[in-house]
């Protein structure tokens, strides 16, 4: 995205994924059939009904590229390596 070779990338903050997974694990350990706020049932291609928590992905574009650097997942220097006249924070 910074180089301009793609228009969007999809990102989820692994800290949010981990926090949700830990909270669900604690709830499961405390109760055989806990009600997890925000979980939904869905059916797999094999026909198995599962309960899951789907977290929204963040589309990263030139307009919000600094989201990943602000979150500390990559340094501005690494993100902008080889970029000339790119989007913020690379300009």
């Amino acid at each position: 995205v910074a180089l301009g070779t793609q228009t969007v990338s999809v990102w989820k903050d692994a800290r949010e994924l981990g926090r949700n997974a830990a909270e669900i694990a604690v709830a499961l350990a405390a109760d055989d059939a806990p009600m997890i706020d925000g979980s939904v049932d869905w059916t797999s291609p094999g026909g198995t009904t599962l309960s899951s928590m789907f977290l929204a992905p963040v589309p990263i574009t030139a307009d919000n590229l600094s989201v990943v650097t602000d979150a500390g997942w990559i340094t501005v220097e690494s993100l902008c390596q080889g970029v000339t006249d790119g989007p913020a924070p690379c300009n």
Side-chain angles (χ1 to χ4, degrees):
V1 174
L3 286 169
T5 58
Q6 69 186 67
T7 56
V8 67
S9 184
V10 177
W11 178 69
K12 290 184 182 182
D13 190 330
R15 294 169 293 196
E16 183 179 351
L17 293 169
R19 181 176 49 254
N20 278 274
E23 290 172 359
I24 292 167
V26 169
L28 288 170
D31 187 344
D32 287 338
M35 293 299 299
I36 307 296
D37 289 337
S39 67
V40 295
D41 289 339
W42 65 281
T43 304
S44 74
T48 304
T49 299
L50 305 163
S51 182
S52 295
M53 172 83 66
F54 296 102
L55 302 181
V58 177
I60 302 298
T61 67
D63 293 333
N64 69 344
L65 192 56
S66 61
V67 167
V68 293
T69 58
D70 292 347
W73 286 109
I74 189 170
T75 64
V76 171
E77 294 77 21
S78 293
L79 176 70
C80 300
Q81 185 176 7
V83 176
T84 55
D85 196 32
C90 300
N91 53 13

